[in-house]
Amino acid sequence: MNKTRQADLGTPGVGTAATVVVEIDGRKAEVTKGTSILRAARETGVDVPKLCATDSLKPFGSCRLCLVEIEGRKGYPASCTTPVEDGMKIRTQTDALARLRRNVMELYISDHPLDCLTCSANGDCELQDMAGAVGLREVRYGFDGANHLDAEVDTSNPYFQFDASKCIVCSRCVRACDEVQGTFALTIEGRGFESKVSAGIGESFLDSECVSCGACVQACPTATLMEKSIVENGMPDRKVVTTCAYCGVGCSFQAEMKGDQVVRMTPYKDGQANHGHSCVKGRFAWGYASHRDRVMAPMIREKTSDPWREVSWEEAIAHTAKRFKAIQEKYGRKSIGGITSSRCTNEEVYVVQKLVRAGFGNNNVDTCARVCHSPTGYGLKTTLGTSAGTQPFDSVMDADVIMVIGANPTEGHPVFASQMKRRLRQGAKLIVVDPREIGLVRSPHVEASYHLDLLPGTNVPIINALAHVIVSEGLADEDYVRERCDLDSWESWKAMILKPENSPEAVAKVSGVDADRIRAAARLFGNAPNGAIYYGLGVTEHSQGSTMVMGMANLAMATGNLGRSGVGVNPLRGQNNVQGSCDMGSFPHELPGYRHISGDDVRSQFEKHWGVTIDPEPGFRIPNMFDAACAGEFKGMYIQGEDLAQSDPNTHHVEAALSSMECIVVQDLFLNETAKFAHVFLPGTSFLEKDGTFINAERRINRVRPVMPAQQGKQEWQITQELAQAMGYPMNYASSAEIMDEIAELTPTFNNVSFAFLDEVGSVQWPCNEAAPMGTPIMHIDHFVRGKGLFVETDYVPTDERTNRKFPLLLTTGRILSQYNVGAQTRRTANTVWHDEDLLEVHPSDAEVRGIKDGQLVSLASRKGDITLRAKITTRVKPGVVYTTFHNPETGANVVTTEYSDWATNCPEYKVTAVQVAPASRRSNWQEEFAARAKEQGKIAIDAGR
Ligand code: SF4
Ligand code: SF4
Ligand code: SF4
Ligand code: FES
């Protein structure tokens, strides 16, 4: 058997602790009650042959290879579909069974190409293993009769192929697509000998509904469905367990290696966030790490119009320190700052904020969470006491009603979406609150009970109206509130929520959602034994983002839906380590663990440990840095793995700020859009080289392990450490494990965490300390972290961004499955086959009045700027609303977004921009300038020998 294959117990566990005693091949064994004989035997070390069974799928009983004999029963039952019973006497190896199994295998092999030695699955093929296990020595039937050996190979998917000649029609792929992924893309077409796996009617995999998650490839016991990377490079020879570097689900993977080369990423079955599943990005889109665009040597230049000059690490770091020190001397201590990256490890982030506070001597540090989930931190801390989600992902399996607000899990958090869909197929009800008809609203075997398709910017009135119905109809859980919450705040909130302007009828006028539907959705949620709320950037990226987060916390408290499994308020975090980068003290007002910088006690702990005096004044947030830069007061920035020029709103303003600075340092894999404004480029490491931890959306601290050395010669924490030293601040870690030890020592919620502990237990959810030595899957169980839960009044203050005759439509933005954020990684993989340009979704009625045809170029103009892109006409958006993604820099979606932001946290209002759309025939002026700059910078790079 292949060295990297993960153990397979044949059928899923049954999730009970009760046991029975059985006898297997003469040996007594205590096994789990209700489990299959196949699993029970495998758990006790007896490998009953199997083909159609695997422990990620329900037993199917089609291959007849796992037959056993049971004393007192006639025939040979399939062990995968027969549960154990107390006292059962089972025999797995008899002459009769051996004969039967050989006959079965003979039939399979007689219609299978005998090219094992040259087959890509050689050494990792269950069919081959089973032929050996049953002792097959000859095949009596020749290949002369009808067979499938000439079946065509479908190579349409960029990452895996389907070689029908090797298919044994075990159905594992079909069941994986149904049960694990929930896409239902595959079927078995035809009957008997004609049966074959099909991805849609006469369609290739690429053209079918398949979302390329790879679950079928993983489930296939033969070489029929096989990764192209294995076909090309052969089988791996070692494995390293690590964590995906894309979204906040935080899937664990086994990186399968051949020498120093990754040949396959296999979702790790023991991964506590993903349980062996993955999406197309984590499983397949890792090729960017070795893309030729990756910069491998540090570079500097005086002016941004100069060519880059490759220099040694020593020179790059000494040059940067000299420039930063000179700027501080000339413009003052607060004239420089740093940005931490939510793509980097906690350890890498921690040292950047430490460099800023201890080395730069100010608190001008911020993170890309500013532009996504900062309102989550503010809103949940204010109401509940902790800046993080309340549940583990598995909690969704206990939810009765699931409310998804401003999130698109099937595209943004696909593995969690698959789990949620599994729960919905079991009967849980779904409410979707989103301006757009996201995939969850209607997909195979899943349909939302209510889709509240509100106008962008009206989340707060909707959540208030839902609460209004719940309170006015007596659906609130008053006992829970009395016991757990601050009663003064409850009374004043109740008075606010019962005001007529929060009634469904009044809110219908503002939000565009019928009062009846609001009322019905509220009743469904209010009556649910367990109601769970999941939300995303469609909640936070508004001028009332923090108000809405508090509105959801209010609703959850009012209905008693916090503090147990199946409930909660759960942010679906965008980036792999956005939770961690916030936890690590990346905000200008907070030290690690969300402790305010003005707190003398907290500051003095860090001061003692770091040997410096820390400024008690909060520093600049990102937008303040830009404003100060435009005012000539902020001159230098150390930017760790973040593309501000592409991802921040109001591109013209961002570009003006970046252009006005004297020393911009970009630490990244690629020369991103921000690097076009940079003076120093410090090459970073990919997740395959990092040694550290990421924290996912459920507060789970996962290990990221290096599968290869840092390709550019240094770990990122080492780069930051050397810069700190060059700035005159002594930073002397010997390893990233030491950095985590310091984090644990200084941060109460991390006290028990260390690399050694994580390696032992797999992962833990913080808080993990003396009070919770094994971590805290569910928050707020007996009481809220802040003591009593605080209801906060959530009066609706509409955004200043309004539609008018000139800009009559509302633009909202989002992302799609195959691409990731600004696309720096996914655009450098074959994922571009699914999305190579950003499109503008327009409702047919809005298209018709403007004379816009599907696929036509259109201009998208706001008060801030205009861009040109292609229109996609669809009823997924309602009339009056248009939608686009922001994955391609040349699209420039943020040229049109505004500077409006959340009142509490400055999180930009990406989700509401008043726009006009009209047919166009050319790129916008900004796009022309962008193309010219890209050409010039490309030329500079070539001149510099890159
Ligand atoms: S890759 Fe995923 S979605 Fe596609 S057919 Fe296989 S299981 Fe289904
Ligand atoms: S493709 Fe693989 S998993 Fe699917 S039926 Fe054929 S052999 Fe079984
Ligand atoms: S769901 Fe997120 S973490 Fe999991 S594989 Fe996909 S991108 Fe990676
Ligand atoms: S493994 Fe039991 S019938 Fe196939």
Side-chain angles (χ1 to χ4, degrees), residues 162 166-174 188 197 216 219-222 224-225:
F162 174 68
K166 297 190 167 165
C167 181
I168 58 170
V169 202
C170 66
S171 226
R172 271 163 67 160
C173 53
V174 179
I188 300 281
V197 172
C216 57
C220 182
T222 66
T224 313
L225 282 159

Side-chain angles (χ1 to χ4, degrees), residues 38 49-53 60-66 78-81:
L38 178 66
K50 67 168 188 68
L51 268 177
C52 69
F60 193 56
S62 71
C63 75
R64 313 298 296 163
L65 205 62
C66 68
S79 63
C80 62
T81 50

Side-chain angles (χ1 to χ4, degrees), residues 160 173 176-177 181 183 185-186 205 210-217:
F160 60 84
C173 53
C177 192
Q181 166 57 24
T183 293
L186 301 178
F205 266 80
C210 167
V211 293
S212 207
C213 71
C216 57
V217 182

Side-chain angles (χ1 to χ4, degrees), residues 299-311 319 323 662 664 671 674-681 933-946:
M299 301 189 298
I300 61 175
R301 58 183 176 182
E302 279 307 308
K303 303 191 297 297
T304 55
S305 53
D306 290 345
W308 284 108
R309 189 162 63 84
E310 282 190 6
V311 292
H319 172 86
R323 294 290 290 263
E662 292 179 10
I664 293 184
L671 283 167
T674 311
K676 291 176 180 159
F677 301 87
H679 307 88
V680 178
F681 188 89
R933 192 165 55 226
K935 199 168 158 196
E936 182 200 319
Q937 291 286 324
K939 188 170 169 304
I940 287 172
I942 290 164
D943 288 349
R946 287 198 42 74

Side-chain angles (χ1 to χ4, degrees), residues 34 364 376 486 548:
N364 292 337
T376 291
D486 177 280
M548 179 61 185

